[in-house]
Amino acid sequence: MTVRRLLPHASTIFSEVSQLATRHGAVNLGQGFPDTDGPPAMLEAAARAMREGHNQYPPGQGMPELRLAVADHVAHHTGLVHDPDTEVLVTVGATEAIAGAVVGLVEPDDEVVVIEPYYDSYAATVAMAGATRRSARLVRDGASFRLDVDSLRAAFSPRTRAVLVNTPHNPTGAVLPPEDLEAVAALCHEFDAIAISDEVYEHLTFDGHEHVSIATLPGMRERTVRISSAAKMLNCTGWKIGWMTGPEELVSGARAAKQYMSYAAGTPLQLGVAHALRHDGAWIEQLRATMQAQRDQLVGILSGVGLDLAVTHGTYFLAADPRPLGVTDAAAWCRELPAEVGVAAVPFAGFVDDFAGDFAHLARFAFCKSPAVLEEAGRRLQALAG
Ligand code: PMP
Ligand code: GLN
């Protein structure tokens, strides 16, 4: 009985793959969640908040402590200054920030540009808003992926209200260079569109690659909703604490939608995250180093069994091409892997629509797992090497 506009999005690729992984006792390198906890002081701050009676609704826009900590964190890392009362909104993960921005800022007769492959919630939220999705794409550029600027230009039109941008990029692991973001910004100016910028992996960049927020480009602060989350920054994907920053007129539109999605959530968790943003900068830096080492470990494993890999400069993910093993349909391969090899991965097919053919041969493996778990995955994957 699902409504027509949500039928194509009836179940997420992550829950499908995780269910398969559970059924077959597979090592789950599909859904991206870490297997270790966030900073101990953050856990203690949240537990203390619970014990001290912070257990009722927070204010709809988020606990003041967290809004202030987010404003300071964003200012420290990007130089962008925001009023914590009107220009910061705490959300139920980045997922709700994306949905709030799309539903609260896009009219049903507007178009929203997305860049394939994209995080799966983007298309679903555009459908919820009743708007029209227009796709551009990334293309393989040497070892990594870049924006296909011609495809982006073709996707923009006078009806474009927003473009959804994600860097560091899930699922390719690309960190988009400033020139790509400049191309997006130029089209936003030309067509008077806004950018909804998903930066949940902002601190997970490797090998000296720097994350640049599109909101920092000339003239873009006024037309960008910048979204981040504690999930990937602080190893707490189950807490679902995210946020957005931007000019008041954009944040207030998103807030109008968000207050009827969840109203608000996670009072003590918000206080835990506020504590971590203030005090756990060194922990976040260490996480980056840990993830880089785990990336290297998984690169060794996957290339060792013959997969062709793109270079990951950020995020939790490696884009793997199994064609050297004779596999061309990565979706079918990912359905078989949990039962046949005991490892789960996510096909790029879950992140594409119009450009499905460009990415049908790719699968995403997550390396946000402890070295022993990756080692076990490596032992099982030996079966592929024959
Ligand atoms: N955007 C991207 C690119 C993601 O990978 C994820 C998953 N962390 C989200 C948004 C959703 O984030 P959250 O879990 O905070 O809702
Ligand atoms: N963001 C995570 C990923 O890309 C999972 C999110 C989810 O399960 N919805 O794997």
Side-chain angles (χ1 to χ4, degrees):
M1 293 294 281
T2 307
V3 289
R4 272 195 308 280
R5 67 183 181 283
L6 286 182
L7 272 180
H9 312 285
S11 108
T12 89
I13 188 71
F14 306 113
S15 50
E16 279 175 34
V17 168
S18 284
Q19 274 168 23
L20 268 182
T22 307
R23 189 176 321 143
H24 297 289
V27 178
N28 190 355
L29 305 185
Q31 196 175 26
F33 60 91
D35 58 1
T36 51
D37 275 335
M42 175 180 84
L43 306 184
E44 180 47 33
R48 192 169 56 241
M50 244 177 251
R51 286 195 302 271
E52 291 177 354
H54 295 284
N55 297 304
Q56 309 309 326
Y57 297 128
Q61 72 267 44
M63 292 296 276
E65 292 87 340
L66 179 54
R67 281 184 279 119
L68 197 55
V70 165
D72 288 349
H73 185 84
V74 171
H76 178 71
H77 290 282
T78 67
L80 298 167
V81 175
H82 295 92
D83 178 340
D85 290 330
T86 57
E87 297 187 315
V88 179
L89 179 66
V90 176
T91 53
V92 180
T95 305
E96 193 192 44
I98 295 160
V102 173
V103 173
L105 294 168
V106 174
E107 299 286 359
D109 51 2
D110 287 340
E111 293 178 355
V112 178
V113 174
V114 294
I115 302 168
E116 299 188 23
Y118 51 70
Y119 185 58
D120 68 338
S121 84
Y122 299 176
T125 53
V126 173
M128 285 186 221
T132 303
R133 177 179 51 72
R134 292 268 173 249
S135 283
R137 66 173 178 179
L138 299 183
V139 282
R140 182 78 183 250
D141 175 63
S144 184
F145 289 83
R146 288 278 305 264
L147 179 63
D148 173 358
V149 177
D150 291 338
S151 75
L152 190 70
R153 169 159 285 284
F156 268 74
S157 87
R159 287 175 56 201
T160 305
R161 168 65 174 147
V163 53
L164 272 153
V165 193
N166 169 222
T167 183
H169 185 259
N170 177 7
T172 62
V175 175
L176 295 183
E179 305 86 79
D180 286 1
L181 298 176
E182 281 158 15
V184 179
L187 287 163
C188 287
H189 288 298
E190 183 179 336
F191 289 92
D192 192 21
I194 62 169
I196 300 172
S197 181
D198 178 347
E199 303 179 23
V200 300
Y201 299 100
E202 60 180 308
H203 295 300
L204 292 177
T205 57
F206 313 128
D207 312 319
H209 283 264
E210 291 281 339
H211 167 61
V212 175
S213 171
I214 192 169
T216 63
L217 299 189
M220 285 306 287
R221 185 199 184 280
E222 301 86 82
R223 45 174 83 243
T224 303
V225 174
R226 180 184 186 278
I227 291 169
S228 195
S229 167
K232 307 292 160 87
M233 195 183 289
L234 292 157
N235 280 13
C236 57
T237 61
W239 284 19
K240 298 299 299 186
I241 302 295
W243 52 84
M244 72 173 67
T245 50
E248 181 176 358
E249 70 206 38
L250 297 184
V251 171
S252 61
R255 184 176 162 189
K258 177 260 180 311
Q259 63 190 339
Y260 299 112
M261 291 173 170
S262 62
Y263 180 60
T267 305
L269 307 178
Q270 290 193 23
L271 292 171
V273 171
H275 185 278
L277 290 182
R278 292 233 171 275
H279 302 289
D280 282 316
W283 189 95
I284 294 171
E285 264 312 303
Q286 181 55 43
L287 179 67
R288 180 204 304 269
T290 303
M291 286 295 167
Q292 183 170 320
Q294 289 170 196
R295 176 202 63 177
D296 294 343
Q297 186 184 354
L298 190 59
V299 165
I301 291 168
L302 296 181
S303 51
V305 297
L307 297 172
D308 187 14
L309 302 177
V311 173
T312 278
H313 296 307
T315 75
Y316 281 171
F317 309 115
L318 277 169
D321 179 351
R323 285 179 300 187
L325 304 180
V327 174
T328 48
D329 180 349
W333 188 61
C334 286
R335 272 195 301 275
E336 293 162 9
L337 268 187
E340 291 186 2
V341 177
V343 174
V346 176
F348 269 47
F351 304 85
V352 294
D353 285 295
D354 298 359
F355 293 105
D358 292 10
F359 301 99
H361 57 287
L362 292 173
R364 189 194 82 174
F365 287 78
F367 50 79
C368 48
K369 306 291 174 186
S370 34
V373 171
L374 294 176
E375 210 177 296
E376 175 58 27
R379 258 193 298 278
R380 295 176 181 207
L381 285 162
Q382 281 310 314
L384 294 176

